[in-house]
Amino acid sequence: APQPAPEMAAAPPPLKMYYNSGDTGVVPPVALRQTLPPFPRDVVTAGTGVLEVIINETGGIESAAMRASISPRYDAIVLSAAKGWRYEPATVGGTPVKFRKIINISLKPGS
């Protein structure tokens, strides 16, 4: 008779480095301060960009990176401003976790 397979203990789910909006069971962070700086008119007149921020367990910004550039000068202004943003941290089961947030930035002429 074939031997029964040994019972495998269920491994706990691996801890993720960070969560994002597609993950189940995660309550996303709530922006307390997330203000985009005005752009200097001599830098760019219009454009779109994508900013990625990692929000840590205390609601601070752990890292920020432009995933799609608007202009080198405005990108630097946005990244500098993002360091001061604050959030209520994301949670999973009531426990604060790191969260990756994607922010689409759209600049329109005259805005």
Side-chain angles (χ1 to χ4, degrees), residues 23-104:
D23 291 323
T24 56
V26 65
V27 177
V30 176
L32 299 176
R33 185 170 66 238
Q34 177 187 297
T35 306
L36 283 170
F39 66 98
R41 301 217 180 280
D42 63 323
V43 173
V44 63
T45 55
T48 57
V50 177
L51 172 67
E52 176 187 284
V53 293
I54 303 296
I55 302 162
N56 67 22
E57 299 90 340
T58 63
I61 298 298
E62 182 168 296
S63 66
M66 292 301 294
R67 294 297 175 219
S69 176
I70 298 170
S71 82
R73 278 183 57 202
Y74 187 68
D75 292 353
I77 294 168
V78 169
L79 291 171
S80 177
K83 289 179 174 60
W85 292 353
R86 297 291 304 170
Y87 298 84
E88 285 286 336
T91 57
V92 174
T95 302
V97 295
K98 290 184 185 178
F99 189 90
R100 181 176 67 109
K101 182 176 176 73
I102 302 296
I103 301 165
N104 292 304

